[in-house]
Each structure stands twice: as C-alpha cells, then as structure tokens.
Amino acid sequence: MVEVDVRTTGPTPPAFEAAIAAGGDGLVLLIDTFEQGQALEGWLRTGLLPRLPYDALVVVAGRLPPDPAWRADPAWHKALRVIHLPVLGHGEADALLANRGVPAAARPELIAFAGGHPLALALAAEVGSRGPGGAQPGHTVVEVLLDSLVGDVPSAEHRRALEVCAHVEVTTEELLRSAVGERAAELFSWLRGLPFVETGPHGVYPHDIVRDALNQDLRWRDPEGFASLHIAVRDHLVGRIRVAAEPDVAEATRSLMFLYRGEGRIADYITWQGRGEVYEDGYRPGDRETVLAMVSEHEGPESAAIAAFWLDRQPGGCHVHRHAESGAVVGFSAWLRLTGPTPDEIAADPVAAKVWRHAEAHGSVRDGEHIAVSRFNIDPAAYARTSPVVDHFVTRVMAEWVRAERLAWSFVSITDPEFWAAQMRVVEHERLQPDLVIDGLVTALHCHDWRVAPLEPWLRRHDEEVLTGRRPARHEPAPRAVLSRPDFDAAVRAALRDQGREDLLDANPLCASRLTSDGKSLRALLAEAVAALADDRRGAKRHDAVHTTYFLRMPNQEAAAQRLGLPFSTYRRHLTAGVALVCERLWDRELSSEWAGK
C-alpha cells in the first residue's frame, strides 16, 4: 500500500509521481487530505490514474465531494464509489474514549461535546484522560478543531458567514444578506460546499461540533463581535416573524427561539426534536369530534364544553397539529383574542372571566387594545409535559407575542403549573392566585402586561444571558401609567400648554406612560406630531394654528388668531381640529407595538 498525505507530500504532480514510484501490481493507493490538493483533481482523473495498473485500488479521502465530472465521464462512472463517513454512534464514541484511557465518569460530557465526531473525540480525549476533573474541553481543543475542520477561510466576509451559520439553526440566503450584504449569494453557495455543512429543507446548517466550536471561539476571541452578530440576527428574525405569511411563521419563530437555546430554563422546555414529523394547521370543522374527544379525555367534559364554545366563537384562533405522513390530529391549542368582556364568554369559560377581572383591576384594556389567552395546549402523548408537539405550542405563543399589535395583556393557562413554573418565571408571566379548578384539574393563569414591560426590553433581558452566560437579575420595571383615552388626551393638551416648561413636562402623566419617560423627549414628540400636520395639504391651517399657539409663545389665543390673520372662530376651529389630530397621532404611538420599549 502506498500512502500519500497531501499535507506533507505537497499538491504537485511530481510529488505524487515520486510517492507512487515504488508501487507495482496489486497497488493500493491511499490519498489523504485531498482537499488541500483539489486543484489536481482533473489531472488525477485524466492524467495519473489511467496510467496505474488495471487492478490498482485508489482511495481518495478529503473533506470536499468529488467533482461531478467523475460521474459524467463514462470511463469512470461505474468504477467510482463515493462513501460519506457518518459520525460515530454513542457506543463507538464511548469505545474510542475508553481505548484512549478516558475514565468512564468523564466520557458522557466528552461525547456530548464532540457529537460523535472522531477528531473531536480524539482531541477531547487528551483532556478527558486526565480524569473527571479535566473533562471539560478548553479553548485549545476548540482552536485545534477549527483549524482541522474549518481550515483557512478566504476572507473576513467568509468568516462572518460561517459565524452566522453557526449561531442560527438554519441559514438562508436572505438571512445571510442581513449580515454580509450583497455577497450573500456567493457566500451561501460557499457554505453549501463545505464538507461539515448540511443542506436541509429550510436552509443550511453546520455539524454540531463545528457550530459549538465556532460559537465558543467567537465568544472568547471577540465578545463585542459576538454580541453584534447576535443582535443583528435577532433583529432580522424578529422582523421576519412580524411580516411572515402564516405558513412561514412557525419556522421564523423557531429560528428566533434557537438563538436562546443555551438559556437553561428555556433549553429545559424545548426538545428541538421531531422536525418535520408534526406541523401546525388551522382548525377545520371536520376536526371537531377529534378535538373535543381529545380535550374530554385529558381534561374532562366541562373543558370539552368550553373548547366547543371557542371552536364556534374563534375558529381562526384554534390550531390543530397533524402528523406529517398520516394527517392525523395529534395536538390541539388555542390562541384567543379578547377585545371586551362579553357576558357569554365570561359565562362559558372561567378562564375568560378571571382574565377580565384581573385586567379591569390592574390595567383596563383601552380602545384599540386587546387581550390574548393561550388556552388548552393538549398533546395526548405527553400531556402537560415537553414534547415535539408541545414545541409547536410554545413556538405559537412566542410568535404571537412578537407579532401582536396593540396587545395589552397576555395570559397563559396551564394545568400542571408546578412543572412549568420555572418557564413562566423566565418569560415573566406572573401566576395569579387563587388557581381555578376545572374538571377537578388545577388550572393556573399566568399574565404579563406588555404596556408596562414591552417586548424589546423583554428580549434584551434574554439577550444578556446569551451574551454573558449569566442570567440577569430580575429588575421590576418602573411603574408605568396605563391612561384611558380621555385622560391621555387631557395630558396631551396640558403638555402642549406646558411645552416651554421642562419641569412641568416632567410631571406630565405622559412621562409615566409607555410613550415616553421625561419632559425633554415628550417635547420632541410633541414637536414631531405638530410638524406632521403640515405634511397633509388639508392640515396646513391646522398646523399653523397649533404651532403658533403653543410653540411661538403667544400671550393668548386672540393674539394667535390676529397673528394668523384669521377670524377668531375660524382660528378656534383649526386649533381644535389640529389638537385632536396631535392627540390621535400620539395615541397611535402609545398603543402601537412598534413603540414598545422606546
């Protein structure tokens, strides 16, 4: 047997010729690390190999697949066999570590780290053979892994593309464009050709060991770069979720949740399994019997009657989960949208009744706002526990939080509250006491007021653990006022009158609302809203009336009318209409999810 290692032999025809000169009949030629001599592939196929003895066996090992020209060439089509070497199974990995002298107690952590990759296992074994105290592979192992598996990267943009690919569950060209710009198509093609990158139905993704190594290396080497990458990807995915068509919502949301997979309490409640085996689908009338039987079996007849009410009342908010092959219903959940306390909803569902009692006591829902309730969430195979189906339930709830417009409160109804307690705390949903009992089952209701603690700060608290590895201390948000519309309009009119006095603006109720937090920014918002009146051709006179009255410091309204050259009654009509439009514009901002966390 003749061995040719391109790393040491060199990627030149003379080096190959010299290495195999000693070969004769029955030649077995093993060419290793061929990715470093890939430029010789055409010469190997047409120049060297045809000159070898007929019975020669040639094995070419490398990280890149063979050029398609091998299969297109009739002379090689039948002689070529391509073998993809899989990762080691758990038993094989354990045996490898045992042969390297790694104690049994240290092997599980090393196997979890290496993911069955032989080179990673061999490198990690150097650490693990020191005993349980040295079982955690350090940065040296990560560095060697990256050098061996990834090798040299052509440019900083290629490195960035790799780091994006490692940080997200699957990479698409669209996502890559948000991080690297116009070279996204080129870099996506490059990623697809890497030997440790797989192609799936939703995009490309790296081998787990490469993913972990790249993430660890970037976090260690450039913490600020890691933070920048994470925030950029997070913002892109949040934007995708908000504009995604309904069939694409779950995939976009799963991608966002994957960014937080290292958070202990989140990781404990997501299996990340069964992808493609189950999918979410809209409820259809033909599913009714199956859904109600499912609810009755696991929660009881009273719950089934409540489910029947909501199937009729809000069929669009009800979701079934189907097995991909059979189409059979394997789960049921509901995301209810409530806009006002109606007698029939309150009478039909004790959860809805408790929702409205709490909201009215702690922050009434204003015109244009709504309440959302996660209800039922039933997987017969893993009732009230984690499962691939429950992953879909959790994904739906997260998607609704991100996509919601003018969401005042969200409530999550859970029938095994002790099991899910840690998860509810980490997503900042407070458990309301006392619990409900429906069909003999304890049903706990958990709530979050998004007007007081908006989405953007909520996400930032999760980001902190991803970026630092430490869970941030839970800080209670500063009290925020939830103003009724009449109170809000009165506060706007007062702010207009006081806009020249920052001390008075600081004391304005709007500075305790979600709109703003201090007089300086409130003055800027007022000026912006008034200036916007001039953008409407029909609003020019209204703009002039409001601007002259409040921003030119006229002694009184009569003086303002005189300055504008208008009869007082005409001036008053324009002023009243202009102030009403300013109130409307600021009210829209107060309610809009786009302003959450500003």
Side-chain angles (χ1 to χ4, degrees), residues 279 290 321-331:
Y279 66 96
T290 301
H321 298 78
R322 304 184 191 276
H323 192 278
E325 292 187 5
S326 66
V329 175
V330 294

Side-chain angles (χ1 to χ4, degrees), residues 265-288:
R265 291 181 187 138
I266 286 184
D268 290 344
Y269 289 89
I270 303 290
T271 69
W272 304 110
Q273 299 174 5
R275 189 170 196 168
E277 295 178 9
V278 175
Y279 66 96
E280 183 188 82
D281 193 16
Y283 164 76
R284 306 169 192 167
D287 301 322
R288 184 183 184 87

Side-chain angles (χ1 to χ4, degrees), residues 245-327:
E246 186 59 37
D248 302 322
V249 170
E251 183 60 32
T253 307
R254 178 183 169 111
S255 294
L256 176 66
M257 293 168 60
F258 188 81
L259 299 183
Y260 303 97
R261 65 195 179 279
E263 285 192 63
R265 291 181 187 138
I266 286 184
D268 290 344
Y269 289 89
I270 303 290
T271 69
W272 304 110
Q273 299 174 5
R275 189 170 196 168
E277 295 178 9
V278 175
Y279 66 96
E280 183 188 82
D281 193 16
Y283 164 76
R284 306 169 192 167
D287 301 322
R288 184 183 184 87
E289 183 177 347
T290 301
V291 166
L292 295 182
M294 188 182 294
V295 177
S296 180
E297 178 182 355
H298 292 278
E299 294 191 358
E302 184 181 354
S303 285
I306 295 169
F309 172 84
W310 291 116
L311 289 176
D312 295 335
R313 183 74 163 211
Q314 293 194 28
C318 297
H319 306 276
V320 296
H321 298 78
R322 304 184 191 276
H323 192 278
E325 292 187 5
S326 66

Side-chain angles (χ1 to χ4, degrees), residues 30-43:
L30 173 60
I31 304 174
D32 200 4
T33 328
F34 190 63
E35 68 275 4
Q36 296 194 15
Q38 209 74 27
L40 297 178
E41 191 169 5
W43 171 79

